[in-house]
C-alpha cells in the first residue's frame, strides 16, 4: 500500500508572519492525518524556520530545487547535502518553472534525481506536457521522453523511494485542472511505463497530480486509483485551503 503525499510548493511566496500563522494550523492537521506524508517546500531562507515549527512526525520540509554540484564556486546554488543538513527529507526537481526559467533539462533533472537519492533525499520529480503538446497528441510521448531519461539515468540506483508529480503545464496556476479521468489516464500510463522498466516500481513509486488542485476538486482527483496525492501551488499558501486538501486525500 503506497502512503499518500500532499506537498506544498510555495514557489516565491513566504514571510516570517506567514510561517508563524500557517505552521501551527497545518501541524495540527498533519497530526490528525497520520497516514499521509505532508511536505512543505518554502523558499530556501525559510526552510529552517518552517522546520523549527514541525512537531508532527509525518510533516516534513523540502527544497524547491537543488544544484547538480556538491560544493565550490557556484554562486546562488544549494546542494543536496545542504538540504539534508538543514533537515529536508524531500526536494522538488524539474518543476516546469525551473525547466523554463533555469534551463533544467531531462538530463540535468535525472542527474539531480540520482544525486538527491544518494544524499538521502526523496526527490519529487515533475513531468508534464504543454498545451501545444497535448493539442498535437504528443502528451504521452512527452511523458515517455521525460520518464525515460529518469529511468535511464537512474538505472544503477534504487528508485523505490522516488516520487513523480504529473503536472500538465497547462493546468499549473491557470485555474484549469485536468479532469479526474484525464489525470487518471496519464497516471495509469506513467505507472505502466514504470512497470515496463522495473516491475517492482509500479507498487512503490508514488505518483502525485499537480495543477490547480483546490479544496473543491481535490477529493475527486485523489479518488482515482493511480493518484497517490498532490503537489499543490496556489492553494498551499493558506493553511485553511491546504488543510482541506489534506483532508480530501
Ligand atoms: C505547481 O506549481 O506545482 C502547482 C501545482 O501550482 P498550482 O497548484 O498553483 O497550479
Amino acid at each position: 500500500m503506497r502512503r499518500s503525499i500532499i506537498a506544498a510548493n510555495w514557489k516565491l511566496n513566504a514571510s516570517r508572519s506567514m510561517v508563524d500563522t500557517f505552521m501551527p494550523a497545518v501541524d495540527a492537521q498533519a497530526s490528525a492525518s497520520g497516514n499521509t506524508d505532508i511536505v512543505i517546500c518554502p523558499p530556501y531562507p525559510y526552510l529552517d524556520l518552517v522546520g523549527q515549527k514541525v512537531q508532527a512526525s509525518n510533516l516534513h520540509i523540502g527544497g524547491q530545487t537543488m544544484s547538480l554540484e556538491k560544493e565550490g564556486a557556484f554562486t546562488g546554488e544549494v546542494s543536496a547535502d545542504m538540504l539534508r543538513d538543514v533537515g529536508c527529507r524531500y526536494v522538488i526537481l524539474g518543476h516546469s518553472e525551473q525547466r523554463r526559467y533555469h534551463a533544467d533539462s531531462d538530463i540535468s533533472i535525472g542527474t539531480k534525481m540520482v544525486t538527491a537519492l544518494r544524499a538521502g533525499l526523496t526527490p519529487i520529480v515533475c513531468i508534464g506536457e504543454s498545451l501545444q503538446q497535448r493539442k498535437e497528441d504528443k502528451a504521452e510521448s512527452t511523458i515517455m521522453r521525460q520518464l525515460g531519461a529518469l529511468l535511464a539515468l537512474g538505472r544503477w540506483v534504487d528508485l523505490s523511494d522516488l516520487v513523480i508529480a504529473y503536472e500538465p503545464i497547462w493546468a499549473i496556476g491557470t485555474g484549469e485542472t485536468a479532469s479526474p479521468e484525464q489525470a487518471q489516464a496519464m497516471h495509469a500510463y506513467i505507472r505502466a511505463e514504470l512497470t515496463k522498466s522495473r516491475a517492482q516500481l509500479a507498487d512503490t513509486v508514488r505518483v502525485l497530480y499537480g495543477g490547480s488542485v483546490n479544496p473543491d476538486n481535490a477529493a475527486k482527483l485523489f479518488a482515482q486509483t493511480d493518484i497517490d496525492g498532490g503537489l499543490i501551488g496556489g492553494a498551499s499558501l493558506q493553511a485553511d485551503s491546504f488543510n482541506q486538501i489534506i483532508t480530501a486525500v
Side-chain angles (χ1 to χ4, degrees), residues 111-152:
T111 311
K112 286 180 188 183
M113 173 192 75
V114 172
T115 306
L117 284 165
R118 290 198 168 130
L121 289 165
T122 296
I124 302 175
V125 186
C126 303
I127 58 177
E129 80 284 0
S130 66
L131 186 57
Q132 177 84 5
Q133 286 162 332
R134 180 158 278 260
K135 280 187 181 153
E136 290 172 359
D137 209 15
K138 290 183 180 151
E140 286 192 353
S141 57
T142 302
I143 295 299
M144 200 205 283
R145 190 202 72 227
Q146 295 171 337
L147 203 54
L150 297 180
L151 292 166

Side-chain angles (χ1 to χ4, degrees), residues 7-11 92 95-97 126 165-169 171-176 209-214 230-237 245:
N9 175 14
W10 284 2
K11 310 191 186 194
I92 299 172
H95 190 281
S96 58
E97 288 150 16
C126 303
Y166 168 58
E167 297 209 309
I169 298 169
I172 295 179
T174 59
E176 190 173 341
Y209 170 78
S212 296
V213 176
N214 61 45
L231 179 56
I232 321 296
S236 74
L237 297 174
I245 293 171

Side-chain angles (χ1 to χ4, degrees), residues 60-79:
H60 306 287
I61 57 171
Q64 294 180 11
T65 183
M66 57 172 235
S67 178
L68 270 175
E69 308 296 337
K70 213 174 158 49
E71 61 186 358
F74 301 101
T75 303
E77 306 257 311
V78 167
S79 72

